[in-house]
Amino acid sequence: MATLTSPAPLLYVRTTLLDVAYETHGPLDGEPVILLHGFPYDPRGYDDIAPVLAERGYRVLVPYLRGYGPTRFINTQVMRSGQQAALAKDLLDFMDALSIPQATLAGFDWGGRAACIVAALWPQRVRGLVTGDGYNIQAISQSLKPRPPETEHRLWYQYYFHTQRGVDGLTANRRELCQLLWTLWSPSWAEGPSRYALTAPSFDNPDFVEVVIHSYRHRFMYAPGDPALEYIEQALV
């Protein structure tokens, strides 16, 4: 695979709630492909594939999700929600702001979830869907049902985030905690440390902690969602 050797152009677009920072590759008149990262990652997760797609003539857009990197909320009063509906609405707003009627959506984790929701509820906006970890729309009403122990122990960091200690820990040690997750999830990845060093600054976003904590509490019904997004959550039930 090709490797990105120089930073892609960083652009901004204003949506209804955010100034979204995004990287772009390829011709402006190419078929749009939107690549969406998850937690705890950023656009660096696509440094290998974005140039390949651009070389094939696609217009590739790689946004920083809410709470990551240079993306910022416009209004200080807006709820820093990390729920799945917020991520999907951000994606839809991003496409609207750039006048993209239809795109191929690809993502993993949080980004894959946003892509899946837009594909499910607004299929006319989606030319193709690639999701790295399955069709991962959350069944929130079923989230309190215990899973097998071999699955439960892997969710330790999510349960940690349900506590004030977890909030304090993520606030004080965000880079160390996220690096630990990378190490646990990809223990044999030789490029991990160098790629992490390029990614970690994105976690210094002032809304990172609040968005992350809300994401993991809302999915387990331990935090209410944004009332303005309830119609999306209800459509997914």
Side-chain angles (χ1 to χ4, degrees):
M1 280 191 176
T3 300
L4 190 65
T5 57
S6 60
L10 181 66
L11 302 176
Y12 292 83
V13 65
R14 175 158 289 196
T15 68
T16 55
L17 297 179
L18 301 167
D19 282 324
V20 179
Y22 66 101
E23 297 175 2
T24 182
H25 310 254
L28 289 176
D29 61 351
E31 250 338 300
V33 176
I34 302 174
L35 306 178
L36 302 149
H37 68 84
F39 168 85
Y41 302 94
D42 79 346
R44 301 284 64 73
Y46 292 105
D47 280 355
D48 289 338
I49 193 61
V52 174
L53 293 171
E55 289 168 4
R56 295 182 182 181
Y58 292 99
R59 178 189 180 191
V60 183
L61 305 106
V62 195
Y64 289 83
L65 300 188
R66 57 168 57 198
Y68 292 79
T71 290
R72 294 290 186 273
F73 285 88
I74 298 168
N75 190 329
T76 58
Q77 303 304 312
V78 172
M79 182 178 181
R80 269 46 176 173
S81 172
Q83 69 193 93
Q84 59 180 354
L87 303 174
K89 186 61 163 58
D90 287 349
L91 172 56
L92 199 65
D93 289 348
F94 178 71
M95 293 174 66
D96 287 345
L98 292 173
S99 300
I100 298 174
Q102 190 179 63
T104 296
L105 306 179
F108 61 92
D109 192 51
W110 291 23
R113 188 165 299 119
C116 286
I117 293 172
V118 171
L121 300 184
W122 295 276
Q124 72 278 10
R125 305 298 299 272
V126 182
R127 182 180 179 86
L129 173 66
V130 180
T131 176
D133 42 5
Y135 196 68
N136 64 346
I137 296 176
Q138 294 162 341
I140 292 176
S141 64
Q142 304 298 314
S143 64
L144 296 182
K145 182 179 180 181
R147 301 182 185 183
E150 61 269 22
T151 300
E152 291 280 3
H153 90 276
R154 295 187 177 94
L155 303 180
W156 67 269
Y157 66 98
Q158 300 188 24
Y159 305 145
Y160 180 54
F161 293 158
H162 296 168
T163 70
Q164 185 59 45
R165 186 182 182 94
V167 176
D168 296 341
L170 184 61
T171 301
N173 305 306
R174 66 188 72 187
R175 291 200 182 195
E176 295 85 352
L177 192 154
C178 293
Q179 186 171 27
L180 173 63
L181 293 176
W182 277 45
T183 302
L184 293 174
W185 295 341
S186 303
S188 61
W189 186 26
E191 294 181 16
S194 60
R195 190 66 59 94
Y196 183 78
L198 298 174
T199 300
S202 285
F203 311 146
D204 294 334
N205 183 298
D207 299 305
F208 176 76
V209 171
E210 194 170 356
V211 169
V212 169
I213 295 297
H214 184 263
S215 174
Y216 288 103
R217 290 185 177 181
H218 180 269
R219 69 183 65 189
F220 284 97
M221 302 175 66
Y222 292 136
D226 184 340
L229 299 170
E230 185 60 23
Y231 73 99
I232 297 178
E233 295 291 352
Q234 288 302 314
L236 298 172
V237 173

